[in-house]
Amino acid sequence: MSAKVEEIRLNLPHIELAAHLYGPEDGKPVLALHGWLDNAATFHRLAPKLEGLRIVALDFAGHGHSGHRAPGASYLLWDYALDVLMVAEQLGWQRFSLLGHSMGAIVSVLLAAAMPQRIERLALIDGLVPYVGEADRAPEKLGEALQAQLDLRAKRKPVYAQIERAVDARMQGVGAVSREAAELLAGRGLMPTAGGYTWRTDARLTLPSPLRLTRAHARAFVEALQCPVDLVLAEQGMLSGEPLLLAWLEHLPLSVHRLAGGHHLHLDDEAGAQSVADCFNRAFQAP
């Protein structure tokens, strides 16, 4: 499907973010948040199929065409949540909805739980809460994260002689995707460099988290949600192998839609995008 999309820039006090803009000016305001190491192109198939919405699909900081954070700054989930709030402030949106995939869904949950007065509705795709860690392993994990920051100086991004090689690599990356999906993500995520092409993403995005929420923290955020929540679970997605999370879903205040497809079912093909759109169109049209 050919998407009518506008490229925009958002100048926040601390960073410049890029975004794709979809939908009518008078549509319901929605900020769309992509997954880790992806970019705004993840919504290329889905956004045009969502009816009556004014969608701003961000490139998160360090991703796509957005700026990288300053030296010494971090890419923690709550840093993204603040970016999202500041984008809404710039757009003049006091109340808005969030459409999130994977990491974008996690950021959506954290923000909606922390600032319920700002969020109208959540539409989540194969993501809900971050990977958790318990207190007894926190010192060990912090040490690993600090060492990884020191070691990063010696690491170099991969360079691909042809764009096709980068597409092949993305097909096998985190949350394996179809070739068409990989081409869309790579088209926005690559830049020329000596010897070929490399990823625009900030290398710091690959660092391990210095501190993880506990299971109790994660559940508290979900239980604090006050807005309607629709969660699409991909049958071959990344959440399908999380038995603890699947058990939670039986008791949490969410509308769950189980659909065929992988972690990027909204981008892999038109059929998957339409099935996700059908779920969310019903949700956004509800009173």
Side-chain angles (χ1 to χ4, degrees):
M1 181 175 185
S2 178
K4 183 180 179 182
V5 57
E6 179 184 348
E7 181 84 25
I8 62 173
R9 309 291 297 184
L10 299 148
N11 292 295
L12 306 186
H14 60 296
I15 198 167
E16 184 179 66
L17 301 182
H20 280 164
L21 177 62
Y22 298 88
E25 290 187 18
D26 61 351
K28 296 177 181 178
V30 177
L31 285 173
L33 312 178
H34 63 77
W36 180 59
L37 301 183
D38 285 347
N39 53 61
T42 196
F43 298 108
H44 176 83
R45 292 189 193 271
L46 176 62
K49 294 178 169 60
L50 297 175
E51 301 164 0
L53 305 182
R54 184 67 161 175
I55 299 172
V56 174
L58 295 177
D59 283 336
F60 273 132
H63 296 75
H65 289 262
S66 285
H68 293 187
R69 297 206 191 281
S74 61
Y75 287 96
L76 302 177
L77 294 171
W78 26 91
D79 297 321
Y80 291 128
L82 178 60
D83 291 344
V84 172
L85 265 183
M86 296 184 80
V87 166
E89 292 288 297
Q90 185 173 124
L91 295 170
W93 292 357
Q94 185 60 29
R95 290 270 289 176
F96 55 96
S97 296
L98 293 168
L99 164 63
H101 170 242
S102 195
M103 185 184 77
I106 295 167
V107 173
S108 297
V109 169
L110 297 183
L111 179 54
M115 303 285 285
Q117 71 277 17
R118 300 297 300 271
I119 308 303
E120 190 78 32
R121 175 178 290 277
L122 295 184
L124 311 177
I125 305 168
D126 219 44
L128 186 66
V129 295
Y131 290 115
V132 297
E134 296 310 316
D136 59 347
R137 297 199 64 192
E140 172 192 354
K141 290 299 182 183
L142 177 57
E144 291 175 357
L146 292 173
Q147 187 60 51
Q149 292 189 48
L150 296 178
D151 295 342
L152 187 66
R153 292 172 296 183
K155 293 186 177 180
R156 296 292 179 266
K157 291 182 183 180
V159 175
Y160 307 94
Q162 297 91 27
I163 291 177
E164 290 75 15
R165 301 288 76 78
V167 169
D168 290 340
R170 183 60 191 88
M171 288 177 66
Q172 305 304 320
V174 176
V177 297
S178 69
R179 176 163 292 277
E180 287 187 5
E183 288 172 347
L184 288 167
L185 294 171
R188 190 166 180 82
L190 289 172
M191 64 180 182
T193 191
Y197 301 87
T198 193
W199 301 107
R200 295 178 181 273
T201 46
D202 192 329
R204 288 175 290 174
L205 293 169
T206 64
L207 293 173
S209 299
L211 187 66
R212 292 191 183 278
L213 300 182
T214 66
R215 288 183 178 86
H217 281 123
R219 181 156 185 154
F221 273 96
V222 178
E223 291 179 341
L225 295 172
Q226 297 181 25
C227 64
V229 182
D230 285 83
L231 169 64
V232 165
L233 282 183
E235 289 181 354
Q236 290 79 45
M238 296 181 70
L239 298 189
S240 60
E242 297 287 335
L244 179 64
L245 179 59
L246 295 176
W248 281 7
L249 295 179
E250 301 298 324
H251 308 286
L252 293 174
L254 313 172
S255 296
V256 179
H257 312 271
R258 290 176 168 81
L259 299 179
H263 186 56
H264 287 77
L265 76 164
H266 64 295
L267 181 64
D268 278 334
D269 55 45
E270 290 293 334
Q274 188 62 58
S275 65
V276 175
D278 290 343
C279 293
F280 290 161
N281 279 329
R282 288 192 295 269
F284 278 104
Q285 290 166 12

